[in-house]
Amino acid sequence: MTETLNIAAIRADFPILQKVIYGKYPLVYLDNAATTQKPRSVVEAMTEEYYNVNANVHRGVHFLSQQATDLHEASRETVRRFLGARSTSEIVFTRGTTESINLVASCFGEAFMKEGDEVIISEMEHHSNIVSWQLAEQRLGIRLRVCPITDDGLLCMDEFEKLFNDRTKIVSLTYVSNVLGTVNPVRDIVRISHEHGVPVLIDGAQSTPHMKVDVQELGCDFFAFSGHKIYGPTGIGVLYGKEEWLDRLPPYMGGGEMIKTVSFERTTFNDLPYKFEAGTPDYVASTGLARALDYVTGIGFDAIEAHERDLTAYAMRRLMEVEGMKIYGPGAEERDAVVSFQVANIHHLDMGTLLDRLGIAVRTGHHCAEPLMRRLGIEGTCRASFALYNTREDVDALVEGIRRVSQMF
Ligand code: PMP
């Protein structure tokens, strides 16, 4: 294992990792692609805010309201810096990646797409990047064009180029597959799309916890991620959008905060980003998210990436020692922190359930990617996914656990 991370100190930041499940190992938590555990700094900052600062933001003249507002807006600045965005106007707080994608599908669709227009997605998308566009399909009569993948789980870039035509209005693709771990060539995707004059939405749910992101360097027009997958709280996420796009989109939901003036005859909308933030925001969660981003940037993505890449490669090597093992997706070089597998004819649900009895948490099923399962000709997989606090010992426990389960069949 790389020694650049002080894993013992990091693990001490996450109290839940000491939990003993069914009297077995201290928790071997390998379900990080679903959600990550939270460090003390995140939980404590949120507790402190509830105990000592709590008041609704933006509309209060009193002390606490102003303090809570300052914290909330400072968190937006932390997100801006984290993403490398030009302005906090480009940072919209949402409930997570799902809401961010729905916002774009709904508002971009309404503003820029009409019957027969097309969105390009891919075979490896999460349901949130499929169904949100299908809703626009039903409402507006737009069409989904689906970029195929290779048997190794890589995007077919030749086919991607061929999907463009004069009806293509937007490209919406995941950065990293939550099933295969494939890291897609986002810079090429953005370059090709822009050559066709088409904007790009990147689903960063699975990339953001694992690799440094700079939206200006990537050049994407929209970028979505979830707080809970990057050591932050549930219920908060981010939509980054270039100001020139966000400015031209209609609001998503109506309510307080998103207006300038309201009358029964005519309502005017607030400036960015508030135009997209109807209702009371989760201002405590935004504090938690900011502390989570501080946590990962404090450790540094160079060290995080090196550690997780090492761990992923080690896991793939060790898992392949198991008889009957099939790993889905590309080689370790092209994947990130996610390994989906199947062992002989042991049903993934049985495998996951029995691993759980050994104190090992993995995810089983279709992973909200049913079309991808169909493409792979399977119903589901077992998925181990890693975070910065996982160790080679966790991988060894997984391999040992799988061996024990295999012997039962
Ligand atoms: N996209 C991808 C690639 C994901 O892995 C997930 C979560 N599994 C989502 C979108 C949706 O994220 P959330 O449930 O946090 O909105």
Side-chain angles (χ1 to χ4, degrees):
M1 194 193 315
T2 45
E3 295 305 328
T4 38
L5 289 190
N6 182 348
I7 294 290
I10 287 172
R11 288 181 71 84
D13 291 334
F14 294 82
I16 204 169
L17 297 178
Q18 305 312 315
K19 199 173 162 77
V20 175
I21 308 258
Y22 303 122
K24 305 291 184 210
Y25 305 101
L27 176 62
V28 176
Y29 186 76
L30 299 175
D31 194 18
N32 296 285
T35 201
T36 51
Q37 301 301 345
K38 319 304 172 198
R40 280 177 209 281
S41 58
V42 168
V43 179
E44 285 169 4
M46 294 174 72
T47 306
E48 160 63 18
E49 185 162 348
Y50 274 128
Y51 280 160
N52 286 312
V53 184
N54 182 55
N56 207 334
V57 291
H58 290 147
R59 46 198 142 183
V61 291
H62 61 83
F63 181 86
L64 285 181
S65 175
Q66 290 189 6
Q67 209 181 353
T69 304
D70 289 349
L71 270 177
H72 185 58
E73 292 307 322
S75 300
R76 199 188 302 276
E77 168 59 18
T78 302
V79 174
R80 182 204 66 73
R81 225 180 312 119
F82 179 81
L83 291 178
R86 256 187 318 203
S87 152
T88 49
S89 303
E90 301 182 319
I91 306 298
V92 179
F93 284 123
T94 63
R95 284 191 300 125
T97 306
T98 301
E99 186 174 290
S100 299
I101 297 173
N102 273 273
L103 192 161
V104 176
S106 171
C107 300
F108 185 94
E110 188 179 326
F112 295 108
M113 298 176 88
K114 51 187 188 310
E115 195 173 343
D117 284 345
E118 296 177 359
V119 52
I120 297 176
I121 61 169
S122 84
E123 273 182 329
M124 69 171 83
E125 299 308 315
H126 185 277
H127 291 164
S128 59
N129 198 28
I130 301 171
V131 183
S132 12
W133 295 105
Q134 286 174 330
L135 295 179
E137 184 177 36
Q138 285 170 14
R139 228 178 28 250
L140 303 166
I142 67 164
R143 290 182 63 208
L144 276 62
R145 302 296 305 276
V146 182
C147 181
I149 59 169
T150 66
D151 290 341
D152 288 340
L154 298 172
L155 268 189
C156 296
M157 289 304 285
D158 291 349
E159 298 300 319
F160 175 68
E161 286 226 52
K162 288 186 202 147
L163 288 171
F164 287 87
N165 62 52
D166 56 5
R167 305 307 301 262
T168 313
K169 291 293 184 289
I170 189 164
V171 168
S172 188
L173 291 176
T174 195
Y175 200 148
V176 172
S177 160
N178 65 312
V179 177
L180 306 169
T182 313
V183 181
N184 286 321
V186 165
R187 286 166 191 79
D188 292 341
I189 287 164
V190 170
R191 180 182 47 75
I192 293 164
S193 305
H194 285 178
E195 279 166 13
H196 289 86
V198 174
V200 181
L201 162 62
I202 297 298
D203 171 351
Q206 296 297 343
S207 62
T208 314
H210 307 295
M211 56 183 81
K212 184 165 170 41
V213 58
D214 181 329
V215 288
Q216 290 194 69
E217 189 254 319
L218 286 181
C220 58
D221 303 273
F222 302 98
F223 188 95
F225 75 96
S226 299
H228 70 98
K229 292 188 197 282
I230 184 165
Y231 315 104
T234 46
I236 191 155
V238 171
L239 173 67
Y240 156 82
K242 281 185 183 160
E243 201 163 339
E244 55 265 38
W245 282 116
L246 290 182
D247 241 351
R248 289 189 283 161
L249 300 190
Y252 184 45
M253 290 194 286
E257 295 280 332
M258 51 76 71
I259 52 87
K260 265 197 179 126
T261 64
V262 178
S263 73
F264 288 119
E265 291 71 37
R266 188 176 125 77
T267 288
T268 55
F269 302 124
N270 209 340
D271 298 327
L272 292 177
Y274 309 108
K275 181 172 85 175
F276 295 107
E277 295 183 351
T280 299
D282 197 337
Y283 50 83
V284 177
S286 64
T287 298
L289 174 60
R291 294 298 75 78
L293 301 183
D294 288 346
Y295 186 82
V296 288
T297 45
I299 291 169
F301 273 102
D302 287 347
I304 293 173
E305 274 186 52
H307 172 68
E308 293 179 347
R309 284 191 173 268
D310 174 81
L311 206 54
T312 307
Y314 179 71
M316 290 181 72
R317 255 194 339 268
R318 291 283 345 260
L319 285 168
M320 285 313 291
E321 293 167 10
V322 176
E323 213 182 303
M325 174 63 65
K326 164 137 184 76
I327 293 178
Y328 297 94
E333 283 307 302
E334 283 146 325
R335 81 160 70 205
D336 200 88
V338 176
V339 185
S340 275
F341 61 90
Q342 166 70 33
V343 183
N345 56 359
I346 304 171
H347 196 277
H348 50 90
L349 250 180
D350 292 332
M351 176 62 79
T353 308
L354 291 166
L355 285 175
D356 175 57
R357 301 303 295 192
L358 299 171
I360 301 163
V362 296
R363 189 142 290 246
T364 61
H366 56 60
H367 314 295
C368 295
E370 286 188 31
L372 174 58
M373 294 297 121
R374 233 160 271 134
R375 165 66 179 84
L376 298 172
I378 54 180
E379 250 177 54
T381 72
C382 262
R383 180 186 72 184
S385 52
F386 307 109
L388 52 81
Y389 41 64
N390 288 121
T391 61
R392 286 189 172 203
E393 287 71 30
D394 289 337
V395 173
D396 294 340
L398 172 68
V399 171
E400 178 56 28
I402 293 171
R403 283 215 171 99
R404 286 182 60 185
V405 174
S406 301
Q407 280 159 11
M408 292 180 207
F409 282 82

